[in-house]
Amino acid sequence: MTALREVAVVGAGAAGLHAAEALRRAGYDGRLTLIGAEDEPPYDRPPLSKHLLDGQWQPDRLALRSPDALAELRLDLRLGVPAERLDRQARTVHLADGHQVRCQAVVLATGVRPRRLPGAEAPLPGAHVLRTLADALALREELRPGTRLLVAGGGLLGAEAAATAVGLGAEVVWLVSAAAPLAAVLGAETAALLTGLHREHGVRIHRGTAAAVVRRRGRAAGVRLADGSELAADAVLMAIGSEPATEWLAGSGVPLDAGGGVACDAHCAAGPGVWAAGDAASWPDPRTGRRRRLEQRTNATEQALHAARNLLAGPDGARQAYAPVPYLWTDQYGLRIQAFGSPGTADRFELVDGSPADHRFAAACLHRGRVTGAVGIACARALRQLRAQVAAHAPWPPADPVTRQTADHAPARLS
Amino acid sequence: MLVQIDQEKCCGAGHCVLAAPDVFDQRDEDGIVVLLDARPPAELHQAVQDAAAVCPAAAIQLDQAPDRA
Ligand SMILES: Cc1cc2nc3c(=O)[nH]c(=O)nc-3n(C[C@H](O)[C@H](O)[C@H](O)COP(=O)(O)OP(=O)(O)OC[C@H]3O[C@@H](n4cnc5c(N)ncnc54)[C@H](O)[C@@H]3O)c2cc1C
């Protein structure tokens, strides 16, 4: 480690911050440059569709670290300036402001950027995406009682935004293409519970595929669907997925996967001296052998810690394979849904506590007889106990019924 | 070491409980963090630092100043 004196982290979101922090905690004492395209110091995105959008929180609550804690990391912090090019041979990151940052190792943590619909590829009043603080503040500005908001996209982001908007009195149409929105993420049972809640709260769920944003007098005025029909609205939120922000790596020799994510090996490395973490990074999941990229908040943290640890382990050091137990949560209508693993790909749903009808349950999600996911609401303990089964892809039913366990069998250290 | 938690920021991931079960617990209703020991003994400091580092919501603040007995 003595030879390592210059490390750069590109992307100052959750993954970038945690990578930088983990390097310092592990004793790395050399120059540490954190480069971020946004003006704000690292902030948290999940509240953007929740308490920032509903106005309960102001932007300063989103800061991931206090100014003091950031200062302690002794960063060369370059905010508001994107990295434009990586020269792997010269080990240099070229910034948009013309500066160059030399580094022996670089951590790529540039996240993703939202897809946009035809007709609104360029900024257009009334056509929104929701990824940054600026995006959320712009959307919040439009949401008044009676605003007709069209949310395009049947994923978690669209669901949360629809729930928040309807809570603010907006008239919300949620345009989804799947017959059962959210089922691919949370499983059919939980998805059915949530879509039921959306309807109860007055969200109109419309099945169809958005083909383009309709403009009228220089503003978004709804969407045109693939079948040619139109849905009118005062504002449109495009929540139709995202793409890794990796175009700046073109020609750098850093391997990208088919979806544009940084194609890491099992150790979060993407070639000599190059590491990646967070929404932008894919890696071969040792449990399934399949390449995977997660857009989940806790993954950003865990993968960044992992990348930092392996970076410092050096070429001969003991690198560890990244084998997380994915975790995600979503807040809708006052309920917090929590999930481990992949409940969306399960073929069986085994309740271990409560019931969905009561809005309080924990369930093991099985795929071919093994626990590959767990999902629940308001049953934190029972759900956490299922985590060990998910980690082990344990057969069901367990020899030692989880519901009777009193202590956690989870490892003391994560990942 | 003084541990402080922000229950409003907590997202209920439970990572802190996995890292330092003697210091953190979760409310069953919503998974929100419960602080069991605001001044954990020295042998738990490493685990508590791990917990603060992995917290996805930055809901755990540590004052690392040595305890005045
Ligand atoms: C509205 C919203 C709600 C969410 N809610 C949840 C939730 O409830 N639960 C959950 O598990 N997950 C949630 N997520 C996902 C979670 O926020 C992400 O997984 C997490 O933020 C990923 O962190 P990251 O650091 O990889 O990427 P980001 O947070 O996107 O950070 C990447 C940073 O890199 C910057 N960047 C990009 N290109 C460059 C460049 N060339 N040079 C320099 N900087 C660059 C970007 O501007 C950005 O600041 C939500 C996301 C959003 C947008």
Side-chain angles (χ1 to χ4, degrees):
Chain A
M1 204 209 286
T2 43
L4 194 62
R5 283 168 291 101
E6 297 178 308
V7 177
V9 178
V10 188
L17 169 75
H18 280 106
E21 198 174 63
L23 289 168
R24 285 292 190 233
R25 277 189 65 211
Y28 169 67
D29 205 31
R31 202 167 105 201
L32 186 51
T33 311
L34 180 61
I35 301 154
E38 293 180 77
D39 293 329
E40 294 83 7
Y43 65 88
D44 210 16
R45 289 183 207 283
L48 294 178
S49 49
K50 307 176 180 77
H51 286 329
L52 195 281
L53 192 59
D54 74 14
Q56 285 191 46
W57 288 15
Q58 295 311 312
D60 54 353
R61 284 208 68 159
L62 271 51
L64 281 171
R65 291 293 178 265
S66 67
D68 285 353
L70 265 190
E72 272 172 35
L73 295 177
R74 291 170 288 121
L75 300 171
D76 176 0
L77 194 55
R78 313 283 183 97
L79 294 177
V81 47
E84 239 173 23
R85 191 162 67 82
L86 172 68
D87 185 336
R88 271 202 319 169
Q89 269 64 50
R91 302 257 162 143
T92 304
V93 180
H94 294 256
L95 306 188
D97 63 6
H99 281 95
Q100 302 182 3
V101 177
R102 297 216 5 115
C103 52
Q104 293 153 293
V106 62
V107 181
L108 307 173
T110 48
V112 297
R113 109 164 26 96
R115 266 188 217 121
R116 305 178 65 101
L117 286 166
E121 293 99 338
L124 171 72
H128 297 265
V129 290
L130 184 46
R131 182 73 194 173
T132 66
L133 180 58
D135 294 339
L137 293 173
L139 179 60
R140 179 163 119 180
E141 208 34 50
E142 298 230 40
L143 295 179
R144 304 220 164 68
T147 303
R148 293 172 308 159
L149 176 70
L150 185 130
V151 178
L156 285 173
L157 180 67
E160 285 195 351
T164 303
V166 86
L168 291 169
E171 284 177 28
V172 180
V173 173
W174 184 24
L175 178 63
V176 304
S177 53
L182 302 179
V185 195
L186 296 173
E189 294 77 5
T190 312
L193 165 63
L194 288 175
T195 45
L197 282 174
H198 279 283
R199 288 202 179 90
E200 266 170 46
H201 284 83
V203 171
R204 229 182 83 215
I205 302 181
H206 190 102
R207 188 147 177 232
T209 306
V213 167
V214 178
R215 354 163 116 229
R216 209 153 287 140
R217 281 188 233 103
R219 264 192 73 88
V223 293
R224 192 171 62 251
L225 304 186
D227 67 9
S229 63
E230 283 188 9
L231 292 173
D234 304 313
V236 174
L237 173 63
M238 301 176 274
I240 52 170
S242 41
E243 270 143 25
T246 52
E247 66 298 318
W248 67 283
L249 294 169
S252 69
V254 171
L256 301 182
D257 61 37
V262 178
C264 295
D265 64 17
H267 304 120
C268 308
V274 181
W275 306 82
D279 284 9
S282 72
W283 85 106
D285 184 345
R287 284 194 196 83
T288 61
R290 271 195 301 268
R291 185 160 285 284
R292 202 160 186 205
R293 192 169 63 74
L294 292 174
E295 295 185 14
Q296 294 172 358
R297 178 60 185 79
T298 50
N299 181 68
T301 298
E302 290 182 51
Q303 206 171 12
L305 299 188
H306 215 87
R309 224 175 279 152
N310 283 342
L311 186 164
L312 291 177
D316 317 313
R319 292 184 181 176
Q320 282 178 16
Y322 185 53
V325 179
Y327 167 82
L328 71 82
W329 82 99
T330 172
D331 294 341
Q332 298 175 37
Y333 304 111
L335 297 182
R336 165 158 301 157
I337 298 86
Q338 300 180 290
F340 288 110
S342 310
T345 53
D347 51 42
R348 238 172 85 202
F349 178 86
E350 287 286 341
L351 276 178
V352 300
D353 199 353
S355 93
D358 298 336
H359 298 178
R360 194 195 147 271
F361 71 93
C365 305
L366 315 187
H367 183 71
R368 297 195 184 137
R370 291 184 173 266
V371 185
T372 52
V375 63
I377 297 176
C379 279
R381 230 161 262 136
L383 191 68
R384 206 171 65 231
Q385 282 162 0
L386 285 169
R387 182 184 186 274
Q389 322 282 317
V390 178
H393 279 196
W396 191 268
D400 169 25
V402 274
T403 42
R404 266 183 256 138
Q405 285 178 5
T406 48
D408 280 345
H409 291 274
R413 292 197 72 166
L414 292 161
S415 64
Chain B
M1 173 190 274
L2 176 66
V3 184
Q4 288 173 300
I5 55 173
D6 184 339
Q7 291 186 320
E8 272 193 65
K9 277 190 168 181
C10 174
C11 67
H15 285 38
C16 54
V17 189
L18 296 168
D22 294 329
V23 179
F24 303 101
D25 197 0
Q26 283 176 286
R27 295 201 300 236
D28 206 34
E29 320 86 85
D30 50 9
I32 296 298
V33 61
V34 176
L35 188 58
L36 301 176
D37 187 353
R39 291 195 180 275
E43 65 268 24
L44 293 180
H45 286 186
Q46 180 65 42
V48 172
Q49 283 171 359
D50 284 346
V54 297
C55 174
I60 301 172
Q61 302 296 328
L62 301 182
D63 184 347
Q64 310 268 14
D67 290 340
R68 288 141 301 193

